[in-house]
Amino acid sequence: MRASARIFWILAVFFLIVAIMYGLLTGLYEPLGIEPVGFPAILALAGLAAMIGTYLTLNNRKFGTRPEDRLDAEVEDEAGVQGSFAPYSWWPLWASLGAALVFLGVAAGWWIFALGIIVSIYGVIGWVMEFSTGQYTH
């Protein structure tokens, strides 16, 4: 995780530098001043990379050195269960359908956007709570 954290910290610094340069250049050469969409978007991208870098750094401190951080690690060092995945789940279909409606709604109409938000919330909540209902109740 240490290598992944470094990559995201480097990306955060890079995007911050790019955002500052973008803001300065558009502020100097655009007649209306700083471009109101690209500059905040690049700043948000830097913030998102910093958030992921922070998460990975904290996990590295909590769990210590992982096999992927060691040069002498073998493939079997990371053997075992990698996660729990639901077989034959329909919830990703509803979540992706809702996301598609949201993106379509931005282009076609706000009522489609609202319907997409409702379907997305339904799909994501069902996906998150999938192991807490039905035959998978813990």
Side-chain angles (χ1 to χ4, degrees):
M1 279 198 212
R2 185 176 38 210
S4 300
R6 283 184 187 160
I7 289 171
F8 278 101
W9 281 115
I10 290 168
L11 284 172
V13 170
F14 171 76
F15 287 128
L16 183 63
I17 292 169
V18 168
I20 292 169
M21 294 304 299
Y22 187 80
L24 289 174
L25 290 174
T26 58
L28 291 175
Y29 296 111
E30 289 292 321
L32 298 176
I34 295 176
E35 200 264 322
V37 175
F39 179 66
I42 300 172
L43 276 179
L45 190 58
L48 291 172
M51 285 173 45
I52 296 171
T54 302
Y55 173 76
L56 291 174
T57 301
L58 292 174
N59 271 347
N60 186 36
R61 288 183 190 163
K62 183 177 179 182
F63 297 114
T65 304
R66 307 274 303 152
E68 60 263 20
D69 293 327
R70 295 193 334 250
L71 294 176
D72 62 336
E74 297 292 330
V75 173
E76 59 267 5
D77 290 343
E78 191 64 26
V81 176
Q82 298 297 318
S84 175
F85 304 100
Y88 312 112
S89 176
W90 286 89
W91 293 112
L93 175 70
W94 290 108
S96 61
L97 179 65
L101 287 174
V102 166
F103 285 110
L104 177 66
V106 171
W110 290 105
W111 68 273
I112 300 174
F113 180 83
L115 179 66
I117 291 290
I118 293 168
V119 173
S120 294
I121 290 172
Y122 174 73
V124 169
I125 288 175
W127 200 357
V128 168
M129 301 301 290
E130 182 171 24
F131 288 113
S132 300
T133 60
Q135 89 182 53
Y136 299 110
T137 303
H138 291 207

